[in-house]
Amino acid sequence: MTLTLAITAAVGAFALAELEQRRGALAAFYAFTGLAFLAKGPAGLVPLAVALVYELVEHGWRGPRRLLSVPGLIVLALLIVPWPILAFEAKGHYFVRDVLVCDMQWQYFGLRGWHWRRLTEPINQVVIVLAPWSLLAPFAVWAAVRDSSSREGRAARLPLVWAATVFLLIASSERQRLRYYLPLCPPAALLIAAWYCRLQLSRRATMIAGPARPSS
């Protein structure tokens, strides 16, 4: 939950910088990303992946330059660099073997068990963690993709990229656990909310146009 909160706050700050042109919010983006790192190690760098993918989708190869924030990068470095240095100084080769190699490399991306369940398990986890809203998620995703070129649809592009990036990163992990998919809940909730709002507006327009139609 701490990781999910920090990731959500980081992407929220990125949204302020990108969508509202509040470039100072990038410092908060990097600060919350650093807090997410302190909560769960490299998994906390997910907001960086989300921001990079979004900038590439929206602005091409020059997009990542928009993430440049010297104060933000300094804050991020102050939050993530001391941890591995202190851990290495305290445990030395045990830190490298047990944490970096055995836990982070092999347990997450060891690729030791490629079989058919590696394809179905992520879907099962998503259906469970989003229940009961997982029934509506496909409609919300399809609506966001379909309307991505419209003005209203562009507002849902960020949570769409957010959800896709988080899902692909977690699904590619060797370690599949339900709680790891919690960071997928906020972007899924935003997509469903955006779809529902557009659905409601469509119905209201129909209800208003019906009585206003002149009789023949």
Side-chain angles (χ1 to χ4, degrees):
M1 296 301 294
T2 304
L3 175 67
T4 300
L5 176 61
I7 290 176
T8 304
V11 179
F14 171 71
L16 286 176
E18 183 67 25
L19 303 180
E20 301 292 335
Q21 303 303 317
R22 300 182 185 181
R23 304 305 297 175
L26 280 178
F29 163 71
Y30 284 109
F32 284 119
T33 300
L35 293 177
F37 178 89
L38 292 179
K40 196 61 179 175
L45 299 179
V46 164
L48 282 178
V50 173
L52 284 172
V53 172
Y54 181 82
E55 294 291 3
L56 289 172
V57 170
E58 289 293 314
H59 307 288
W61 294 109
R62 296 182 178 180
R65 297 180 183 178
R66 298 169 60 87
L67 296 176
L68 180 61
S69 170
V70 174
L73 291 173
I74 292 175
V75 171
L76 180 64
L78 291 175
L79 288 172
I80 70 175
V81 171
W83 174 75
I85 293 178
L86 292 175
F88 183 78
E89 289 293 331
K91 295 294 183 180
H93 70 280
Y94 292 104
F95 168 71
V96 175
R97 184 192 65 189
D98 297 340
V99 178
L100 298 183
V101 177
C102 296
D103 186 52
M104 294 184 179
Q105 179 183 350
W106 287 108
Q107 292 296 329
Y108 284 95
F109 302 104
L111 305 182
R112 295 176 299 173
W114 278 106
H115 46 77
W116 66 270
R117 290 194 62 185
R118 289 296 302 271
L119 300 176
T120 60
E121 185 63 22
I123 303 298
N124 294 336
Q125 299 281 15
V126 170
V127 170
I128 295 173
V129 79
L130 295 182
W133 308 111
S134 50
L135 297 174
L136 301 178
F139 299 100
V141 171
W142 170 249
V145 173
R146 182 191 59 192
D147 300 334
S148 59
S149 59
S150 66
R151 183 177 180 181
E152 294 80 4
R154 288 178 182 175
R157 191 174 296 170
L158 177 55
L160 183 63
V161 171
W162 180 4
T165 304
V166 170
F167 173 76
L168 291 176
L169 288 175
I170 302 174
S172 63
S173 172
E174 177 79 18
R175 183 180 294 179
Q176 293 292 308
R177 294 180 180 176
L178 185 63
R179 64 179 181 269
Y180 290 175
Y181 285 87
L182 282 175
L184 190 61
C185 292
L190 289 174
L191 288 172
I192 293 172
W195 167 76
Y196 180 74
C197 287
R198 291 197 296 270
L199 185 65
Q200 290 295 96
L201 290 174
S202 169
R203 289 179 178 176
R204 290 174 187 171
T206 302
M207 293 173 63
I208 293 174
R213 185 181 304 166
S215 59
S216 56

